[in-house]
Amino acid sequence: MADESENGRKHNRPRLFRDIMASRPRNNDELSENSKSVLQDTILQLITHHQNFDALVNESIITDVDQNSLPSKSAVYHDLGYETTSHRSSTTEVSHSVAGCISVLRHEALTAGVPLQIFAANICSGKILDMIGEEKGDGLLLNNKHRAYLKILMRTIIKLLSEQTFSRNTFIKSLNRELELPIELVWMLHTAGIMSLEAYITCNLNRPSVIGNLAQSMTDLTNGECENTQLRKRILKDILGYFVFHGYQEKRDSSDMAAKGMRKIAIAITDNVTKKLITMDPPSVDSLNLFELVRECENVNLSILQRYCTHQLAVILSYNPVLKVSQALISQDQWSYAKTPQHVTAMYKQLLLAFNAEEAVGILQRVLERQEVNWQAVMTFVATFLVCFPQAPKHIKDLVDDLIKQAFAASELDCIITAFLLARQACLEGPHVFPTYQDWFLGCFGDSSISPANNKKTFAFLIKFLTDIVPFEAAHHLKAHILKPPHVPAKCRPVLCDYITLAKTRLADLKEPVELLGIYEEGAGTSACKPQLQNLHQTEKDVEMALAAFEKTGKVPASIMEASIFRKPYYVGRFLPSLLAPRPLPEVSDVRMLLIDSLNRSDKIPVVLYSKYEKGCQREAAQLLEGVFSDEGSMDDMLLDPTEQLQNSLNRFTEVVLEARGEIVPGITSQLSVVSEKLANLLEVDVPQHTENEQPVVVDLYGPDIPSKHIKIVDQILNTFCQTTAAATTFETLCTDWATQYLSMLSRHKTLLPALVVRVWNLICKEAPALDQPHTESLAAFVVHLRGVQALFGDIRVRPEDPTLVGQPFVDVLCGSIPIHTGQWMEFTLRFCTSYLQYAVTSLGCFQMYYMERNQNIVPAAVIKRFSFLVPRMCPVVRYYGTPECPGMDVLNKQKWPLSIKLFTSDQFRCLVDPLTLRLKNWIDLELKVISHCDHLSCIERHDYYRWIIYHHFLPTSTDKGGCGGSCTHASSVIFSSLMDHDMRHETKVYQVHVDCTASRYITTDGPGCRAELIALLQELCLQAAPHMTSPSEGPWIINVIEEKLSVGGMSPLGMYCTLSAWFRLASSLVPHLFYVNNPLDVDSAQRLSASLDFINTFMRHHLYEGCVLPYRVTLYLMQGLIVLEQHTHVKQVDSVISISLARCPLLAASLLYHYSTLKPVLHHLIQEDGDKKSHGIFTSLNSLYTWAESIICMAEWSEPPPAESWLSGVAIFTLAKQSALHSGTCPNLQVLKNCESKVLQSYMECVVADASSRYINGEELCNSLARHVIDLLVTTPQCMVAFNTDNGSILTTRVFSQSIIKVMPVICFRILIQASENDILKIISIDNSLKTILQMHVCCTELYRKAAVSDQEAGVYQKLNQPLDLHFMIEISQVVKKFITHSSLEHLCQLQKELMDNCDPDVQCMLRVRLGQT
């Protein structure tokens, strides 16, 4: 089939002359020589007469195609010196064709009588013009047939030129007489040396359209719509390189007018091409970058290239300067790098490649100084410059500073306008490039020492400028000026106030609300859990909830309608712009479109906003159809949703970082700008400008209300960072500047901040053990950079479980909250801390942006302390590092954690540890977090570890380095204090109202082992420290510890109780005598016990009581200590330590008597060991008193009381009465009690009411039988009423009962007296001072009621009582008081003091006046 096809092709084309001759049979007849000569002459004449120039050329084309068998378009290169080997094989055949063409031309010229030079030039130009006339197309490139025709023709011309038989000038003039030549023809003639570009330009000087069309053709060749990309590229390189070389080479001979003219024309043509490129439509994907081609030209060296790029930049930046400054201020937000068309940024990038950053900013400065500029071009150029050069932001900042200095020095308005536009453009690119506008403005004008507006004249100039641009300012710029105003010189405050008033008026015109409360937010501004979170994405949440409600009901939600009326600033300024975000609208109306349509029909959308929304949607749709994208302009991007577009841009970012191989390249910054724009589009909000009030962002970690879309976006961001970090570890140089820029870019999108915080927290503090090593290392790197740029994210606050972390930066809280309670979590924490430290120590990049302070510590104290805690714990071999017992490095490297060990023993880590040493208290706090049965250490291993770290590490270490300085006392104090703090934290969570310290209320905060083993360690240290304790004059060691805790001040009653409970729980685990003295041998008199007894009479009395006395185990502990001291007291001492202590501390005596029945068997053994029997008499007296009270209460038999104080006898009766009531539920026999002395009964009454008050504080109701018992006792013995007189000053109220109980006792008395009858009141009021006592208690209740309404601190616990001191009860009290006044005699009334009556409430005062006859 192939042979048949070939034969058919040969029969279809014309037969050549040589083929015809070869096919004819030879005639063997011999001719004479003369005949042969005649025959040859005749044949030549015949052939010459019938020759045709076109036929010969066409025959040459066929021959060339047949012999070369190449595509016809490739044949062009053969003629211009770009032939291949196959082309060279046909040289001989083609040369015969050229010779034939020349022979024809000679014959025709001879026949016509015209010189061959002129005739050949006219014929060749005519043939070319005929060919152009036949050309159909865009007028740029030739078709294949004409290229082949022109190839033979050019070979003929070149041959004639070599023989000097061709007139070049005639050819050029004839060729350029009428028609405009295609640019490919011009290029072919130029490269062949037939008609140079200079000759072509010179010949057409009087035809400006030809020059303009040449520039237009060059511009059109860059467009990808033309075919033959390589041919277009070659044409452009040759022609553009020629013009650039002649237009921008260094000036040499100023007298060469032709060179000058050509220079001007070349510059004009290149300028024209550049201007056309600026104004042309966005090119297609296959388009050529003209400026990239210039850089590839061989004849364009660096100096020529720089002059060309400098000039073209000036042309671009100054072309069509129609935008006013006001328009630039308004539109500047749309001129960021990511929003600039890709072909424009590509053009800037190619021009910038010829310069370094300093040279580029110099060009920009010269353009700004010397000519009027196109502000859009300048701003887009600056945006590209900022992302292309890592040093560009610094140079722009320096330029802005110079312009500002120049502006204020000479009051030049143009300079300050330019400076502000440049600064705002740089801020627009985001914090990964430049500081926020608010920070820049504050840094430039906020400090008097650096502000150029530091006097009245310059300040007035600044405010006048800001005032003039207010009508054109964006809202975030106005807010920045208001929130961070410039420094105000003396006497200039009114000027600033006027500006702020104007700015606020402008904000009101822009519908920017002052309050940011959302429509659907609860609490109307009273929410305390997330005040800043509502500012970040409350508007978006409102839109989502409104759409959900509308989709469900089909009606506009009532809350939206109400907001449009009553909350119009928020509705118009926030809600509608978020709802009306431009987007390509779907063909079928979705929920958002329907809601917008409903609101518009209801006239709830301003016409201007709705018109802007429609135009924005049309623009978005047009961009979608045209394929105009802000990143790479890929048509594939058009088919992706925003999430996929973001992922593509993130993937591209990873590729750019990996291609950089650790170097700083412009592509990283530019791609981050694209990622930032994609994030803004995906979040459907404009990129924030950081102008909101800098309030803390409070994130709820345990119940976050975060959109799922934000979580997905954060996952994409974190995955990209982790993948990039993992891949970047393969680089020879670990440069991390890209990561710093990445985190800085994220700080711009504050809406994602809550989701980012929660996701990072969950990954590290909840899901961490499941992470592999690369993931852990990448997350550690992320946290390192987050710590480095945390100032850009603002104040992030979370609520950690550990109160010691409250108020610290987020990264510190995060690292300090990683669990270490189990062996599994310890392993992760060690891996994380090792990765964190390794990354922070070995990375060569900077962790802050260039405009941030460098004095920030990248490594939080929590990381160092946990690393220092875990390495010796999990790697026993390092415990002896630096000692003779330490093994060699080869052994260390073979351990389970080689990298951790290497880092722990490195000099870099030692430099970090010095200021942040792991102190003994830190070690105990961390150790208390460990659950013993989940620990990676066994009980024996933990025991050995504890002894090593205490005796070998902390004890020998000096106190300034976190150790104990060799003091066991110091070690004991630190351990005791740390354990106490730990118990207090956990106890506060459980106790809400504390009234006792019974064992049932205690909680176990840790798993078995850790706390108990630390207490055992404390006991061991106390025994070793006893001989070396401080001198007795300094007080007991345990008392000093608790007094130091209590000296903080501002502690609530609940906090005081928890502190004392935790302290006593630990103290009771030690030997009892430590409460009184450090060493029992030092006690030579009871005076040594003053500090301890005073402590009982103050703190323990008021905050560590149970009922009206001390708890049982507290009393037991105190008595055990006294008995031990009694045994060690000097034999010559006359007074007993116990007797003196009980006399100086009535509370201890009352508590001992109250718990006597239980304490007696416990203390009996200790009493028997007292060799001097000094305590026998004391306990004999107590036993006699207890037996007497038992006979009265239990047996109802009267007997004479033993010698004892009346208040102690009353306590004994109360003790037995309460025990009897608990067992039998009956009250004591009044007939027996009335035989007691009145003072004994008064003390008994005080104990009864105090005990009832204690139970009332705990929320127990007053027992009716108890109330009846008290009333009967008062009726029987009215003198008992005097016990409640505030002037009484009894031992019980002044030295036994707590202040809280004393405050409640009047309340209990009135609750009892409310149940008294008229007859009861008559009997009670019969004695003197009864009415005075009633009025005193009434005043106390009134004062207590007033304080309870104002301050919980003053009211004590009464706001949490089951029966609060409410108004109804106060009315009942007044009624009781009035009854007593009514039944009181005039004599008793006259005995009342005026001051007492004035303190009563008005109703009581009025009744007293009536009874006394006063008006």
Side-chain angles (χ1 to χ4, degrees):
M1 293 296 293
D3 294 339
E4 293 177 2
S5 176
E6 181 67 20
N7 293 333
R9 186 175 64 85
K10 290 182 178 181
H11 285 296
N12 289 333
R13 69 167 182 257
R15 298 179 67 188
L16 299 179
F17 179 75
R18 64 173 180 270
D19 296 333
I20 297 174
M21 295 299 297
S23 63
R24 292 180 62 84
R26 292 184 178 273
N27 190 356
N28 295 327
D29 295 338
E30 294 294 336
L31 295 177
S32 63
E33 292 296 330
N34 187 30
S35 298
K36 289 183 179 179
S37 176
V38 172
L39 180 60
Q40 288 178 352
D41 292 340
T42 304
I43 293 174
L44 285 174
Q45 292 177 4
L46 176 65
I47 293 174
T48 301
H49 181 74
H50 291 282
Q51 272 186 340
N52 182 277
F53 185 78
D54 287 338
L56 285 175
V57 173
N58 290 331
E59 182 178 341
S60 299
I61 294 173
I62 296 172
T63 303
D64 192 27
V65 172
D66 178 53
Q67 294 191 8
N68 291 302
S69 300
L70 291 173
S72 57
K73 66 179 181 180
S74 300
V76 177
Y77 303 111
H78 171 77
D79 215 20
L80 304 178
Y82 311 116
E83 71 271 22
T84 60
T85 303
S86 59
H87 275 104
R88 296 190 187 100
S89 63
S90 62
T91 302
T92 304
E93 296 293 339
V94 174
S95 62
H96 288 312
S97 300
V98 170
C101 292
I102 293 175
S103 176
V104 171
L105 290 175
R106 290 182 186 277
H107 176 76
E108 292 181 354
L110 182 62
T111 303
V114 179
L116 178 60
Q117 296 92 330
I118 304 299
F119 184 82
N122 289 330
I123 289 297
C124 290
S125 62
K127 298 300 181 180
I128 292 175
L129 291 175
D130 292 341
M131 180 190 70
I132 296 174
E134 298 175 0
E135 185 72 33
K136 295 180 181 180
D138 53 13
L140 299 176
L141 302 180
L142 305 174
N143 58 36
N144 296 337
K145 176 182 176 182
H146 289 163
R147 284 194 192 100
Y149 185 88
L150 186 61
K151 180 183 64 173
I152 302 301
L153 199 61
M154 288 172 60
R155 286 173 177 163
T156 302
I157 295 174
I158 292 172
K159 182 65 176 176
L160 291 172
L161 285 172
S162 65
E163 297 175 356
Q164 298 183 353
T165 56
F166 187 84
S167 176
R168 192 192 305 270
N169 291 335
T170 302
F171 173 79
I172 294 175
K173 291 179 180 179
S174 177
L175 190 63
N176 293 281
R177 187 176 296 121
E178 297 178 359
L179 298 179
E180 295 180 3
L181 306 182
I183 190 171
E184 183 182 359
L185 173 62
V186 176
W187 168 69
M188 293 178 70
L189 295 175
H190 170 73
T191 54
I194 299 173
M195 181 182 68
S196 66
L197 284 172
E198 182 179 2
Y200 178 71
I201 295 297
T202 303
C203 187
N204 289 282
L205 285 177
N206 58 346
R207 300 172 65 193
S209 61
V210 175
I211 308 299
N213 287 337
L214 178 62
Q216 182 63 52
S217 298
M218 294 170 63
T219 306
D220 293 341
L221 278 180
T222 63
N223 202 316
E225 295 178 357
C226 304
E227 297 179 355
N228 304 324
T229 302
Q230 293 300 322
L231 178 59
R232 290 188 291 119
K233 185 175 180 179
R234 188 68 190 184
I235 294 172
L236 281 174
K237 282 179 63 177
D238 289 343
I239 296 179
L240 192 60
Y242 178 87
F243 286 130
V244 170
F245 177 78
H246 286 83
Y248 299 95
Q249 63 179 333
E250 187 177 358
K251 297 180 182 179
R252 295 179 180 177
D253 188 3
S254 58
S255 61
D256 190 349
M257 301 304 297
K260 280 186 176 181
M262 188 60 201
R263 177 185 179 88
K264 291 182 180 180
I265 294 173
I267 293 175
I269 290 177
T270 54
D271 290 352
N272 198 1
V273 171
T274 300
K275 293 175 182 178
K276 291 180 182 298
L277 285 175
I278 297 173
T279 57
M280 70 183 296
D281 295 333
S284 61
V285 178
D286 296 331
S287 299
L288 301 175
N289 190 313
L290 192 70
F291 302 103
E292 182 180 3
L293 296 178
V294 174
R295 293 177 54 249
E296 297 177 0
C297 294
E298 297 177 356
N299 60 336
V300 177
N301 57 34
L302 180 60
S303 60
I304 294 176
L305 179 64
Q306 288 182 335
R307 283 191 289 271
Y308 167 74
C309 292
T310 300
H311 183 81
Q312 296 311 309
L313 278 174
V315 170
I316 294 171
L317 299 183
S318 61
Y319 178 70
N320 196 21
V322 295
L323 284 177
K324 299 180 180 179
V325 172
S326 59
Q327 294 172 307
L329 290 170
I330 295 172
S331 305
Q332 190 172 11
D333 285 352
Q334 303 300 318
W335 297 338
S336 66
Y337 173 81
K339 293 181 180 180
T340 303
Q342 189 269 340
H343 71 283
V344 176
T345 58
M347 175 178 63
Y348 289 142
K349 289 178 182 179
Q350 291 299 326
L351 290 172
L352 286 170
L353 285 176
F355 311 100
N356 57 37
E358 187 175 359
E359 293 170 340
V361 80
I363 295 171
L364 174 64
Q365 185 174 4
R366 289 194 296 273
V367 172
L368 292 172
E369 290 174 349
R370 298 176 183 177
Q371 54 197 103
E372 192 174 359
V373 296
N374 183 317
W375 285 114
Q376 182 177 4
V378 171
M379 294 300 106
T380 53
F381 169 75
V382 170
T384 308
F385 172 61
L386 285 167
V387 301
C388 282
F389 289 95
Q391 304 84 12
K394 295 181 181 179
H395 289 292
I396 290 294
K397 184 179 183 302
D398 293 340
L399 175 59
V400 170
D401 292 342
D402 292 341
L403 289 171
I404 288 178
K405 290 179 182 178
Q406 183 179 349
F408 282 92
S411 297
E412 293 187 12
L413 188 61
D414 290 342
C415 289
I416 195 171
I417 289 174
T418 304
F420 267 74
L421 284 173
L422 291 176
R424 290 180 177 183
Q425 186 65 37
C427 297
L428 193 63
E429 292 306 314
H432 64 287
V433 176
F434 205 79
T436 64
Y437 179 74
Q438 182 169 283
D439 292 340
W440 171 82
F441 186 79
L442 181 64
C444 190
F445 300 101
D447 190 349
S448 60
S449 61
I450 61 174
S451 174
N454 53 8
N455 57 58
K456 188 174 182 180
K457 178 183 177 182
T458 54
F459 187 78
F461 174 69
L462 172 63
I463 296 301
K464 183 181 183 304
F465 164 70
L466 294 178
T467 302
D468 292 340
I469 64 175
V470 163
F472 319 109
E473 288 272 58
H476 56 265
H477 291 146
L478 293 173
K479 290 181 181 179
H481 301 156
I482 295 172
L483 295 174
K484 300 293 183 181
H487 165 72
V488 183
K491 300 180 181 180
C492 293
R493 179 65 60 180
V495 179
L496 177 64
C497 293
D498 292 342
Y499 169 75
I500 291 177
T501 302
L502 179 63
K504 289 183 177 180
T505 304
R506 175 59 179 165
L507 286 174
D509 295 339
L510 294 174
K511 302 296 188 300
E512 285 290 330
V514 178
E515 47 87 20
L516 299 174
L517 187 64
I519 297 175
Y520 290 95
E521 185 173 5
E522 299 177 358
T526 62
S527 174
C529 63
K530 45 180 180 180
Q532 180 65 12
L533 189 57
Q534 60 192 16
N535 298 348
L536 296 177
H537 61 268
Q538 184 61 43
T539 305
E540 184 179 352
K541 181 180 177 182
D542 287 341
V543 172
E544 292 178 357
M545 296 184 69
L547 292 173
F550 180 80
E551 184 178 18
K552 186 176 181 181
T553 63
K555 298 180 180 179
V556 177
S559 56
I560 302 300
M561 301 300 288
E562 292 172 358
S564 68
I565 300 173
F566 301 109
R567 301 189 56 209
K568 199 165 186 177
Y570 176 81
Y571 174 78
V572 176
R574 295 271 178 167
F575 179 78
L576 284 182
S578 180
L579 178 67
L580 300 176
R583 61 183 180 126
L585 298 178
E587 296 182 0
V588 180
S589 299
D590 57 5
V591 178
R592 185 182 289 262
M593 292 176 64
L594 295 175
L595 176 58
I596 293 172
D597 186 58
S598 298
L599 290 173
N600 189 44
R601 289 199 308 269
S602 303
D603 295 330
K604 295 299 180 183
I605 301 179
V607 177
V608 176
L609 280 180
Y610 190 76
S611 176
K612 184 179 178 181
Y613 164 71
E614 288 184 322
K615 292 179 181 179
C617 292
Q618 293 173 0
R619 182 177 62 254
E620 292 288 329
Q623 290 180 353
L624 185 66
L625 293 175
E626 294 172 6
V628 180
F629 298 94
S630 61
D631 56 347
E632 297 299 325
S634 172
M635 291 300 292
D636 296 336
D637 220 14
M638 182 173 59
L639 305 176
L640 303 176
D641 60 27
T643 303
E644 293 173 326
Q645 292 182 29
L646 173 63
Q647 188 60 56
N648 278 354
S649 62
L650 290 171
N651 294 341
R652 177 55 188 158
F653 171 77
T654 301
E655 295 173 2
V656 172
V657 173
L658 298 183
E659 291 170 0
R661 304 294 299 177
E663 300 293 334
I664 302 176
V665 297
I668 294 177
T669 306
S670 60
Q671 188 60 29
L672 278 177
S673 297
V674 174
V675 172
S676 180
E677 185 66 22
K678 292 297 183 184
L679 273 174
N681 294 337
L682 182 56
L683 295 171
E684 298 180 353
V685 294
D686 292 333
V687 177
Q689 298 297 325
H690 297 267
T691 55
E692 300 295 342
N693 196 7
E694 295 181 355
Q695 296 179 355
V697 179
V698 181
V699 182
D700 185 4
L701 298 171
Y702 306 102
D705 183 15
I706 299 175
S708 58
K709 181 172 73 172
H710 291 186
I711 295 294
K712 293 179 181 178
I713 295 173
V714 167
D715 284 341
Q716 287 181 283
I717 292 170
L718 291 176
N719 288 338
T720 298
F721 184 91
C722 292
Q723 292 170 5
T724 309
T725 303
T729 55
T730 60
F731 299 161
E732 295 181 0
T733 302
L734 183 58
C735 185
T736 59
D737 289 335
W738 67 267
T740 303
Q741 289 183 292
Y742 190 86
L743 269 294
S744 302
M745 179 273 297
L746 286 182
S747 69
R748 195 181 194 188
H749 302 275
K750 292 295 183 68
T751 308
L752 288 177
L753 186 53
L756 180 65
V757 168
V758 171
R759 195 71 185 98
V760 172
W761 185 279
N762 289 341
L763 282 172
I764 295 177
C765 296
K766 293 183 179 180
E767 306 170 13
L771 302 178
D772 56 15
Q773 182 62 24
H775 202 170
T776 302
E777 293 175 354
S778 300
L779 282 176
F782 185 88
V783 177
V784 170
H785 289 283
L786 184 59
R787 172 66 183 250
V789 298
Q790 62 183 353
L792 299 178
F793 286 88
D795 187 4
I796 307 172
R797 294 186 183 177
V798 296
R799 292 183 174 87
E801 294 183 353
D802 189 349
T804 60
L805 298 174
V806 174
Q808 295 188 20
F810 169 70
V811 172
D812 297 54
V813 176
L814 173 69
C815 296
S817 299
I818 303 176
I820 56 171
H821 59 289
T822 66
Q824 187 181 25
W825 273 104
M826 286 184 191
E827 290 184 358
F828 167 76
T829 305
L830 182 56
R831 286 193 288 118
F832 178 84
C833 292
T834 303
S835 301
Y836 191 107
L837 292 169
Q838 182 75 10
Y839 190 86
V841 169
T842 60
S843 297
L844 300 179
C846 185
F847 299 110
Q848 294 98 14
M849 295 300 294
Y850 71 95
Y851 52 81
M852 299 175 65
E853 296 183 2
R854 291 293 192 272
N855 57 359
Q856 181 183 6
N857 186 12
I858 296 300
V859 184
V863 173
I864 295 177
K865 291 178 179 178
R866 285 174 181 250
F867 185 76
S868 302
F869 169 76
L870 289 172
V871 173
R873 204 178 196 279
M874 303 183 69
C875 309
V877 70
V878 302
R879 298 175 188 174
Y880 302 97
Y881 177 75
T883 65
E885 295 86 355
C886 180
M889 291 304 300
D890 54 341
V891 177
L892 293 177
N893 293 332
K894 296 179 181 179
Q895 299 299 312
K896 181 179 180 181
W897 302 91
L899 185 58
S900 301
I901 295 173
K902 181 179 179 181
L903 186 60
F904 184 80
T905 56
S906 65
D907 294 335
Q908 295 97 327
F909 179 69
R910 292 298 156 193
C911 294
L912 293 173
V913 169
D914 283 342
L916 297 171
T917 305
L918 179 69
R919 299 182 174 271
L920 177 57
K921 178 174 174 54
N922 305 138
W923 175 80
I924 297 171
D925 291 340
L926 293 172
E927 198 64 43
L928 285 170
K929 299 177 184 292
V930 179
I931 301 175
S932 59
H933 65 272
C934 299
D935 191 5
H936 75 100
L937 296 177
S938 65
C939 294
I940 296 176
E941 290 173 335
R942 187 164 52 251
H943 178 275
D944 295 341
Y945 166 65
Y946 284 179
R947 270 62 189 174
W948 168 83
I949 200 167
I950 292 296
Y951 293 111
H952 291 265
H953 178 68
F954 286 119
L955 268 179
T957 306
S958 60
T959 54
D960 59 336
K961 293 185 178 181
C964 306
S967 172
C968 290
T969 304
H970 182 80
S972 302
S973 299
V974 174
I975 296 175
F976 189 98
S977 179
S978 300
L979 288 170
M980 182 178 164
D981 292 340
H982 174 264
D983 290 352
M984 286 167 53
R985 288 194 296 268
H986 290 270
E987 197 162 359
T988 304
K989 297 178 183 179
V990 175
Y991 288 93
Q992 299 299 323
V993 177
H994 296 273
V995 293
D996 60 27
C997 56
T998 57
S1000 61
R1001 291 290 184 99
Y1002 294 151
I1003 58 174
T1004 301
T1005 57
D1006 294 313
C1010 287
R1011 186 176 181 278
E1013 290 181 14
L1014 287 172
I1015 291 177
L1017 183 62
L1018 175 62
Q1019 294 169 341
E1020 182 180 321
L1021 287 170
C1022 287
L1023 292 175
Q1024 297 181 27
H1028 311 286
M1029 288 288 189
T1030 56
S1031 62
S1033 60
E1034 297 182 8
W1037 162 69
I1038 291 183
I1039 299 297
N1040 293 337
V1041 172
I1042 184 59
E1043 287 182 345
E1044 183 180 352
K1045 294 286 185 184
L1046 298 176
S1047 64
V1048 176
M1051 196 175 295
S1052 65
L1054 175 60
M1056 190 75 73
Y1057 170 79
C1058 292
T1059 302
L1060 286 169
S1061 296
W1063 166 80
F1064 181 77
R1065 183 182 301 111
L1066 288 173
S1068 61
S1069 65
L1070 305 177
V1071 289
H1073 72 262
L1074 290 176
F1075 178 81
Y1076 299 99
V1077 292
N1078 296 328
N1079 192 340
L1081 298 177
D1082 295 334
V1083 179
D1084 54 2
S1085 69
Q1087 296 300 321
R1088 299 294 189 187
L1089 310 182
S1090 298
S1092 302
L1093 297 179
D1094 291 342
F1095 186 79
I1096 296 174
N1097 289 327
T1098 53
F1099 294 106
M1100 296 182 73
R1101 170 194 166 196
H1102 294 300
H1103 303 288
L1104 204 61
Y1105 58 86
E1106 180 186 70
C1108 55
V1109 294
L1110 294 174
Y1112 165 77
R1113 68 191 194 93
V1114 175
T1115 306
L1116 174 62
Y1117 178 77
L1118 297 178
M1119 290 306 301
Q1120 286 174 333
L1122 288 174
I1123 293 174
V1124 172
L1125 295 180
E1126 190 79 29
Q1127 296 170 355
H1128 291 82
T1129 304
H1130 197 274
V1131 292
K1132 293 182 179 181
Q1133 182 178 325
V1134 178
D1135 298 329
S1136 169
V1137 171
I1138 296 179
S1139 61
I1140 294 177
S1141 300
L1142 293 179
R1144 293 183 58 182
C1145 186
L1147 174 60
L1148 182 57
S1151 302
L1152 176 60
L1153 187 57
Y1154 183 82
H1155 301 293
Y1156 184 75
S1157 62
T1158 311
L1159 286 173
K1160 180 179 178 181
V1162 179
L1163 298 177
H1164 177 73
H1165 178 71
L1166 295 176
I1167 296 172
Q1168 295 300 325
E1169 294 179 356
D1170 185 0
D1172 294 331
K1173 310 298 181 183
K1174 292 181 290 185
S1175 59
H1176 281 270
I1178 300 172
F1179 288 101
T1180 301
S1181 301
L1182 289 175
N1183 187 64
S1184 301
L1185 187 59
Y1186 188 84
T1187 304
W1188 169 76
E1190 188 176 20
S1191 65
I1192 292 177
I1193 301 300
C1194 300
M1195 303 177 186
E1197 297 177 357
W1198 172 253
S1199 61
E1200 289 299 324
E1205 297 185 50
S1206 58
W1207 69 270
L1208 200 56
S1209 299
V1211 172
I1213 295 175
F1214 165 72
T1215 300
L1216 272 298
K1218 186 173 182 180
Q1219 292 178 3
S1220 176
L1222 292 175
H1223 288 88
S1224 61
T1226 60
C1227 294
N1229 191 327
L1230 292 178
Q1231 296 300 323
V1232 179
L1233 287 179
K1234 69 180 182 180
N1235 296 323
C1236 298
E1237 295 180 3
S1238 60
K1239 291 185 177 181
V1240 175
L1241 291 179
Q1242 289 175 13
S1243 298
Y1244 167 71
M1245 179 67 73
E1246 285 180 316
C1247 290
V1248 171
V1249 177
D1251 184 70
S1253 300
S1254 177
R1255 288 186 278 115
Y1256 182 75
I1257 291 175
N1258 279 330
E1260 298 182 20
E1261 295 183 2
L1262 182 64
C1263 180
N1264 292 330
S1265 60
L1266 178 62
R1268 188 68 255 174
H1269 171 69
V1270 174
I1271 293 174
D1272 291 342
L1273 184 59
L1274 289 174
V1275 171
T1276 305
T1277 312
Q1279 293 84 358
C1280 292
M1281 193 68 193
V1282 185
F1284 307 110
N1285 193 327
T1286 56
D1287 300 333
N1288 183 28
S1290 67
I1291 295 293
L1292 292 174
T1293 56
T1294 57
R1295 302 182 65 183
V1296 176
F1297 299 153
S1298 71
Q1299 195 64 33
S1300 298
I1301 289 178
I1302 294 173
K1303 286 183 178 181
V1304 180
M1305 286 176 67
V1307 178
I1308 297 301
C1309 288
F1310 276 113
R1311 288 197 176 275
I1312 292 173
L1313 292 175
I1314 288 174
Q1315 304 181 28
S1317 63
E1318 296 287 340
N1319 294 331
D1320 296 335
I1321 293 176
L1322 283 172
K1323 295 178 180 179
I1324 295 172
I1325 204 68
S1326 61
I1327 65 169
D1328 294 343
N1329 292 329
S1330 292
L1331 180 59
K1332 178 182 178 181
T1333 303
I1334 292 294
L1335 292 179
Q1336 286 177 339
M1337 291 192 301
H1338 170 63
V1339 172
C1340 291
C1341 290
T1342 303
E1343 183 180 0
L1344 194 61
Y1345 174 75
R1346 291 172 182 171
K1347 290 182 177 179
V1350 176
S1351 172
D1352 184 58
Q1353 283 287 95
E1354 292 293 333
V1357 296
Y1358 307 118
Q1359 289 193 5
K1360 295 185 178 181
L1361 298 178
N1362 292 343
Q1363 297 173 324
L1365 195 63
D1366 55 12
L1367 181 60
H1368 176 71
F1369 180 61
M1370 293 302 300
I1371 295 174
E1372 290 183 336
I1373 291 177
S1374 297
Q1375 292 174 352
V1376 171
V1377 174
K1378 290 177 181 179
K1379 288 181 182 181
F1380 275 89
I1381 295 174
T1382 301
H1383 293 91
S1384 295
S1385 64
L1386 186 60
E1387 180 182 0
H1388 291 165
L1389 290 171
C1390 292
Q1391 294 176 357
L1392 297 176
Q1393 298 176 356
K1394 184 177 183 301
E1395 182 180 358
L1396 177 61
M1397 291 188 292
D1398 292 341
N1399 290 332
C1400 297
D1401 63 33
D1403 289 344
V1404 174
Q1405 290 184 32
C1406 182
M1407 189 169 185
L1408 286 172
R1409 292 191 183 99
V1410 171
R1411 290 282 285 122
L1412 291 171
Q1414 299 177 0
T1415 58

